[in-house]
Amino acid sequence: MNAIVEGNALQAQVRPAARYTWQAIVLHWLLAVLIIGMLVLGYSLEDIPRNTPARGFYVNLHKSFGVLALVLVLVRLGWRFSHKPPPTAPGMPRWQAVAAAWSHGLLYLCILLQPLSGYLGSSFGKYGVKFFGIELPNWGWEDKALRGFFGEVHEAVGFTLAVLIAIHVLAALKHLLIDRDQVFQRMMPGGRRS
Ligand code: HEM
């Protein structure tokens, strides 16, 4: 048993963790900034009084950046399904690899469902969706019940997404500060690909 642990540690020292491609790194960080910004903006909307010009401005801003997020998520999913990610870092315990696979899968699901539910909810509302001033096609009609349903989905997925992002950041920091196993660096710009 000790020999296996020592073997894994030695392997980790000799063979550095393979890095993500620059395309995967750019998409990851663009979406990280956009989605965290959208969560902050989404929750801040609650503090802006209804039927004021400020509310209209910030809700439209939220919708516009949300549509941009949806497009980038679709590009990212396309990239992910057509390119193999690097293998798990050498020496990583199996439970961690399984937990990472599940949490990454859930993150992908939530980042897709969140802008989709926002767009669908707005399509069943009376204001529709403008993308930085350009009117987008409505997928629905004015329907209070459906708008309410997608609004609830948007709220629940938004909360789940915030929790998953917090876990994701804590796990990344554990790799950087405690495990020191190069897993954090795999997704950082700069550095050489192995
Ligand atoms: C990654 C993308 C997105 C994130 C992270 C996000 C996040 C949020 C959050 C956290 C809220 C507050 C929910 C609550 O009430 O607790 C919210 C509200 C809302 N979002 Fe999004 N959203 C995204 C995309 C979109 C898109 C694409 C649209 C529509 C095109 C949209 C439309 C709305 C609307 C209409 C509200 C309710 C505003 C109100 O209270 O009147 N969202 N969003």
Side-chain angles (χ1 to χ4, degrees):
M1 176 69 184
N2 271 352
I4 294 173
V5 173
E6 276 168 24
N8 281 344
L10 191 66
Q11 202 186 18
Q13 280 170 15
V14 174
R15 183 153 56 93
R19 289 172 55 75
Y20 283 91
T21 57
W22 69 265
Q23 293 91 337
I25 294 176
V26 167
L27 282 169
H28 174 274
W29 288 107
L30 263 180
L31 271 168
V33 170
L34 198 53
I35 287 172
I36 293 171
M38 285 294 289
L39 284 171
V40 172
L41 181 56
Y43 285 124
S44 310
L45 291 178
E46 290 169 19
D47 300 330
I48 307 174
R50 290 185 180 269
N51 301 318
T52 59
R55 187 174 179 90
F57 173 78
Y58 285 109
V59 169
N60 276 326
L61 198 67
H62 180 84
K63 289 179 179 178
S64 299
F65 277 109
V67 170
L68 183 63
L70 178 58
V71 172
L72 284 176
V73 166
L74 292 175
V75 172
R76 179 151 189 216
L77 285 175
W79 181 266
R80 176 64 179 76
F81 284 122
S82 55
H83 295 78
K84 250 182 131 178
T88 47
M92 180 185 278
R94 178 150 170 78
W95 72 266
Q96 269 188 32
V98 172
W102 270 94
S103 64
H104 294 166
L106 282 175
L107 272 167
Y108 277 123
L109 185 66
C110 287
I111 60 172
L112 177 64
L113 282 182
Q114 187 64 358
L116 210 52
S117 59
Y119 194 168
L120 277 172
S122 301
S123 282
F124 289 106
K126 60 177 163 198
Y127 300 113
V129 180
K130 285 196 199 93
F131 181 67
F132 297 105
I134 303 162
E135 195 104 27
L136 294 187
N138 251 5
W139 297 0
W141 53 95
E142 223 182 301
D143 188 317
K144 230 176 160 185
L146 280 172
R147 183 171 61 91
F149 169 75
F150 286 113
E152 304 240 319
V153 173
H154 201 60
E155 194 177 332
V157 177
F159 178 76
T160 312
L161 190 53
V163 172
L164 285 172
I165 290 173
I167 294 171
H168 186 72
V169 172
L170 286 176
L173 289 176
K174 176 180 174 286
H175 284 293
L176 176 71
L177 303 172
I178 300 172
D179 302 339
R180 300 182 183 203
D181 54 7
Q182 300 292 309
V183 166
F184 184 92
Q185 284 83 349
R186 277 154 56 109
M187 194 46 107
M188 292 307 278
R192 274 187 300 135
R193 292 198 62 206
S194 57

